[in-house]
Amino acid sequence: MFSIGDYIAHPMHGAGVIDGIVSKRIDGADREYYVLKLPVGDMLVLVPVIGCENIGVRQIISADEARQVLAAFPGIDVSMTQNWNKRYRENMVKIKSGNPMDVAEVVKGLMARDSERGLSTGERRMLHSAKQILISEIVIALNLTYEQVELQLNDCMT
């Protein structure tokens, strides 16, 4: 169980701090939720306390792990299938895994594809979301700004 003030990562929303724990009545049952405050856009996400591990919620990576992700980013293989539907599904599985290296693969692959031939609207949204998920965790782990981390990722593409 997490506590108020803990930094956690949600696989589909990114990293943030637990701002509170609230009780809500849903379908006649009282349930507790973590109030996850995300730094990007000051968004609040309610995460059920029971079952949050099944969702993939976890503590954020350490500073060393964040540095390893950034160091590995230039060498990530960006081969992706040509079939957009299969590529989209494969990328979604990687994002939902919550593994920062898997998310980094999606980010780099979509960034490379965008620079080569452009992205569909769906893949553009996926790239934006995957970048937000990855960058939000690195920002907290390394105490950097979103712009600093995004610049580092972009520099790897040139």
Side-chain angles (χ1 to χ4, degrees), residues 130-158:
K131 279 178 90 172
Q132 185 274 320
I133 290 166
L134 179 65
I135 292 172
S136 68
E137 189 162 8
I138 294 172
V139 161
I140 293 171
L142 296 178
N143 196 25
L144 297 172
T145 67
Y146 189 93
E147 292 76 20
Q148 288 171 315
V149 176
E150 187 173 37
L151 185 62
Q152 286 185 39
L153 297 179
N154 290 339
D155 285 348
C156 293
M157 298 304 292
T158 57

Side-chain angles (χ1 to χ4, degrees), residues 5-6 9 23 31 33 42-43 46 51 54 56 59 61 76 87 90 93-94 115 122 128 135 137 144 156:
D6 286 352
S23 183
R31 295 195 175 113
Y33 293 85
D42 283 333
M43 189 167 86
L46 293 181
N54 294 339
Q59 288 187 342
I61 57 177
I76 292 174
R87 183 174 60 243
E90 288 171 353
V93 167
K94 288 178 183 179
S115 68
H128 176 74
I135 292 172
E137 189 162 8
L144 297 172
C156 293

Side-chain angles (χ1 to χ4, degrees), residues 1-2 8-11 34 47-59 96-97:
M1 185 156 175
F2 301 109
I8 61 172
H10 188 289
Y34 296 118
V47 181
V49 171
I50 302 291
C52 71
E53 288 149 13
N54 294 339
I55 297 169
V57 174
R58 58 174 173 73
Q59 288 187 342
K96 286 182 178 180
S97 77

Side-chain angles (χ1 to χ4, degrees), residues 76 78 80 104-114 119 157:
I76 292 174
V78 293
M80 290 185 156
E105 284 179 28
V106 172
V107 170
K108 183 157 185 197
L110 291 175
M111 286 173 73
R113 187 165 186 81
D114 190 27
L119 296 173
M157 298 304 292

Side-chain angles (χ1 to χ4, degrees), residues 31-42:
R31 295 195 175 113
E32 287 193 326
Y33 293 85
Y34 296 118
V35 179
L36 178 61
K37 184 175 182 182
L38 303 173
V40 179
D42 283 333

